[in-house]
Amino acid sequence: MPRTTTLECPSLRALTFDILGLIKVIEGKGEQKEAPRVVERWGEPDASRCVLATSILDPILGVARRKGFIEVLSPVNGDVRASISNQNQSDKVSEDNSVIGLHLFRKERLDSSSRSCTLLTCTIKGSASMKCVKMSKSLEDSGVEGTQTTWNVSGSGSILCFKVDADENYALFGWKGVEPAKNSLGIFTPTWFTSATFLCKDDHRKFVAGTNRHQVRLYDISAQRRPVVSFDFRETPIKAIAKDVDGHTIYIGNGFGDLASIDIRNSKRPSHHSD
C-alpha cells in the first residue's frame, strides 16, 4: 500500500557572508517559533577570501572576494560553477581597489547558452567591468567569454556603493570624493554616500541614499539636484539601504546594528527598529 510523507520546509532560508570568506545557510521554522539557526557552512575560514559583494539570480549566486576573485556558485548546495579574476593585466591587486559592487543580469540578458552568465562589477577606484562568464563542471574550463567592456565611473575619490535599477538600464554609483581642507577651527566634516538603492521599480529617477553622517536622503533627479526628503537616523553612518516592493518603504541599517523600516512619505517616525 502506498505511503505518503510530509516534508517540513523551512519558512525562512537565508544566506549570510563574512570576513572569513564563509557562506552560511540559515533556516528557521516560523510555526514552531524557533530561533533561526545555521544549518550549513560553505568553504573554509580564510581572511584572504573575505566576501566583499554578492548578487543572487536564481539559480546562481555571484560572490566577489578579496584580491579580485569572483565565483559563481549554486545557492542551493554551494557548488562552485566558475571562478575568475576581476583584475585586468594593467590592474594592480591591492586592498584599495577591491570590488565594491557586483550584479548578475537577469536570464533574458544572459548569453543564449544556459552555461554562461553576464555580470557587472565595480571597484573602489571606479573601474567598472561587464563580462560574460562561462560555467563548467570543471573549474579549469570556466572563465571569461568574449571581450569584456570596461570603463571608469569616477575620476577621483573612492566608490562606496553601487546599484543597478530594476530594468537593468541604469546604474547608480556613490563615492567619497577628495576631502577638502578643514577650516580654521578644524571641525569641518565632509559628507559622502555610503549606501543607496532605487526607490521605485518603474522609475530610475528616484533613489534613496545613506551618508556617513547618519543621514537618509531621497532624490528625484527629474525635479531637482538637492534632496527632496532628508532626515537623520540615530548617530552612526548608514551602512545598508534596501527598498520594499511597495515603492515607498525602505529598510535601513547603521554601524551600531540598528535596523528600521520607514515609510519615506512619513520619514519622521520609523515604524520599527531593533538594536
Side-chain angles (χ1 to χ4, degrees):
M1 188 168 180
R3 296 181 180 180
T4 59
T5 302
T6 300
L7 298 177
E8 295 186 4
C9 297
S11 58
L12 168 69
R13 187 177 192 273
L15 300 179
T16 65
F17 313 86
D18 61 28
I19 60 174
L20 294 179
L22 292 174
I23 301 176
K24 301 176 184 177
V25 182
I26 298 177
E27 292 184 356
K29 299 178 181 178
E31 295 181 356
Q32 299 180 9
K33 297 182 179 180
E34 296 180 356
R37 59 189 180 90
V38 177
V39 296
E40 289 185 61
R41 288 180 173 84
W42 300 338
E44 297 295 331
D46 185 353
S48 67
R49 291 174 50 78
C50 168
V51 176
L52 302 175
T54 62
S55 177
I56 189 168
L57 177 68
D58 189 35
I60 54 176
L61 166 69
V63 177
R65 298 184 181 274
R66 184 172 291 172
K67 297 185 178 180
F69 292 102
I70 296 176
E71 294 176 343
V72 178
L73 310 91
S74 165
V76 177
N77 54 26
D79 288 347
V80 180
R81 299 182 180 179
S83 180
I84 64 171
S85 173
N86 192 59
Q87 301 291 336
N88 298 321
Q89 292 181 353
S90 58
D91 288 340
K92 180 181 179 181
V93 179
S94 61
E95 291 296 324
D96 61 352
N97 198 31
S98 300
V99 173
I100 193 64
L102 169 68
H103 178 81
L104 282 167
F105 284 89
R106 293 196 302 269
K107 198 65 178 178
E108 57 264 36
R109 292 291 186 89
L110 304 184
D111 185 84
S112 58
S113 170
S114 62
R115 294 287 183 179
S116 63
C117 63
T118 301
L119 56 84
L120 173 66
T121 60
C122 183
T123 68
I124 293 177
K125 289 185 177 180
S127 176
S129 174
M130 183 181 295
K131 56 179 72 68
C132 182
V133 178
K134 176 185 177 182
M135 295 179 287
S136 176
K137 293 182 179 180
S138 173
L139 290 181
E140 289 75 13
D141 295 331
S142 66
V144 178
E145 287 188 322
T147 303
Q148 62 180 349
T149 302
T150 60
W151 67 98
N152 195 2
V153 299
S154 173
S156 62
S158 302
I159 301 293
L160 298 181
C161 56
F162 156 65
K163 196 72 175 179
V164 175
D165 79 317
D167 292 331
E168 297 182 327
N169 291 322
Y170 298 89
L172 171 65
F173 302 89
W175 67 85
K176 174 183 177 181
V178 178
E179 295 187 19
K182 294 183 179 181
N183 59 20
S184 59
L185 299 178
I187 59 175
F188 178 77
T189 303
T191 299
W192 57 81
F193 293 139
T194 53
S195 55
T197 184
F198 289 95
L199 182 61
C200 306
K201 181 179 180 180
D202 56 353
D203 189 354
H204 69 275
R205 297 170 298 180
K206 297 179 181 179
F207 62 90
V208 182
T211 75
N212 63 307
R213 301 188 67 183
H214 56 87
Q215 293 179 330
V216 178
R217 301 176 178 180
L218 169 63
Y219 289 88
D220 184 349
I221 59 176
S222 65
Q224 59 190 46
R225 292 177 59 88
R226 297 184 64 83
V228 178
V229 175
S230 180
F231 60 92
D232 291 344
F233 176 67
R234 300 298 179 90
E235 298 178 351
T236 58
I238 305 298
K239 293 296 185 180
I241 292 184
K243 67 176 181 180
D244 194 278
V245 294
D246 62 14
H248 52 76
T249 301
I250 59 171
Y251 304 93
I252 58 179
N254 66 8
F256 271 168
D258 301 322
L259 302 175
S261 61
I262 297 177
D263 188 331
I264 201 68
R265 298 170 300 182
N266 182 24
S267 57
K268 294 182 179 180
R269 299 183 62 184
S271 59
H272 174 73
H273 73 268
S274 61
D275 294 334

